[in-house]
């Protein structure tokens, strides 16, 4: 189990998946093992398989909001945006302090063209974790999508104030008229 997690951190996904599959076989009721296997599968780009493992982790422990966030993110990457919103909402109902879940749901709203809801979630994420450059960047994308370039530039610049090497914000600043 632990070695599989270490392999994932080293981006050695095949070894991670192999070890975490063994852990799940040995501990069939270990929700964290299934979640971690899902994370390795997800990072390896196997979103369908990751979704199965995240779903299994929820079946074993429906009280962990992180499992719902991870499942929702897999659904998002599979293009099942409406379904992903259901799981993000469950995660947020359980934990209203997880900035990443608000950020992820905000990106889903953005992909659905629901800009006001995206802004609201990005604002919440920023209020919970004001030093995360990605949150400002995505808020900038939401402004960019509505041609509000002044605010978009402001958000990209805030992202760069936090992380001067934030490549996506540098790129999008270069696109501004």
């Amino acid at each position: 189990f632990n070695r599989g997690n270490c392999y994932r951190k080293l981006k050695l996904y095949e070894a991670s998946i192999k070890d975490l599959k063994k852990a799940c076989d040995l501990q069939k009721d270990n929700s964290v093992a299934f979640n971690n296997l899902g994370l390795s599968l997800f990072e390896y780009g196997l979103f369908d398989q990751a979704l199965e493992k995240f779903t299994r982790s929820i079946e074993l422990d429906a009280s962990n909001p992180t499992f719902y966030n991870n499942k929702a993110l897999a659904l998002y990457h599979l293009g099942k945006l409406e379904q992903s919103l259901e799981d993000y909402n469950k995660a947020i109902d359980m934990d209203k302090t997880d900035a990443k879940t608000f950020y992820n749901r905000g990106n889903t709203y953005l992909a659905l063209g629901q800009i006001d809801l995206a802004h609201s979630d990005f604002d919440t994420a920023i209020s919970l974790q004001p030093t995360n450059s990605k949150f400002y960047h995505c808020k900038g994308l939401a402004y960019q999508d509505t041609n509000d370039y002044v605010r978009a530039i402001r958000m990209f610049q805030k992202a760069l104030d936090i992380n001067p090497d934030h490549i996506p914000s540098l790129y999008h600043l270069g696109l501004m008229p």
Side-chain angles (χ1 to χ4, degrees):
F1 174 82
N2 290 328
R3 188 173 66 182
N5 291 330
C6 290
Y7 281 141
R8 184 177 71 249
K9 289 182 183 193
L10 295 171
K11 301 186 184 318
L12 299 171
Y13 299 118
E14 290 176 8
S16 173
I17 291 165
K18 180 180 175 185
D19 278 3
L20 290 168
K21 279 184 177 179
K22 284 182 186 175
C24 290
D25 287 342
L26 292 171
Q27 300 177 333
K28 295 185 186 329
D29 62 345
N30 186 333
S31 61
V32 175
F34 280 95
N35 181 67
N36 289 354
L37 175 55
L39 290 171
S40 292
L41 291 163
F42 180 91
E43 291 179 28
Y44 199 51
L46 301 172
F47 302 121
D48 281 319
Q49 292 178 45
L51 177 60
E52 289 176 22
K53 301 311 174 194
F54 295 140
T55 300
R56 180 67 181 136
S57 67
I58 291 169
E59 290 169 355
L60 293 169
D61 179 5
S63 69
N64 190 323
T66 299
F67 298 166
Y68 287 96
N69 180 51
N70 292 342
K71 180 183 174 194
L73 197 54
L75 287 164
Y76 173 90
H77 282 274
L78 290 168
K80 299 176 180 181
L81 303 181
E82 295 292 342
Q83 282 180 271
S84 73
L85 286 175
E86 293 174 23
D87 284 300
Y88 287 133
N89 290 337
K90 288 177 187 174
I92 288 169
D93 285 344
M94 287 186 243
D95 182 2
K96 294 181 181 9
T97 65
D98 186 351
K100 288 183 181 179
T101 303
F102 282 100
Y103 164 76
N104 289 337
R105 188 175 72 175
N107 279 317
T108 303
Y109 284 135
L110 186 60
L112 289 167
Q114 297 177 19
I115 305 300
D116 290 340
L117 292 171
H119 276 300
S120 178
D121 276 356
F122 294 142
D123 288 340
T124 302
I126 288 167
S127 72
L128 292 168
Q129 200 175 73
T131 60
N132 190 316
S133 58
K134 291 179 185 179
F135 299 169
Y136 292 96
H137 175 76
C138 285
K139 187 161 176 68
L141 292 176
Y143 283 126
Q144 183 179 340
D145 281 359
T146 58
N147 299 323
D148 188 343
Y149 300 118
V150 171
R151 288 183 179 164
I153 290 168
R154 198 174 302 140
M155 289 299 112
F156 297 143
Q157 192 56 58
K158 281 188 179 187
L160 290 167
D161 289 345
I162 293 166
N163 177 4
D165 297 323
H166 193 253
I167 302 297
S169 290
L170 288 168
Y171 172 78
H172 281 273
L173 274 175
L175 296 177
M176 294 292 103

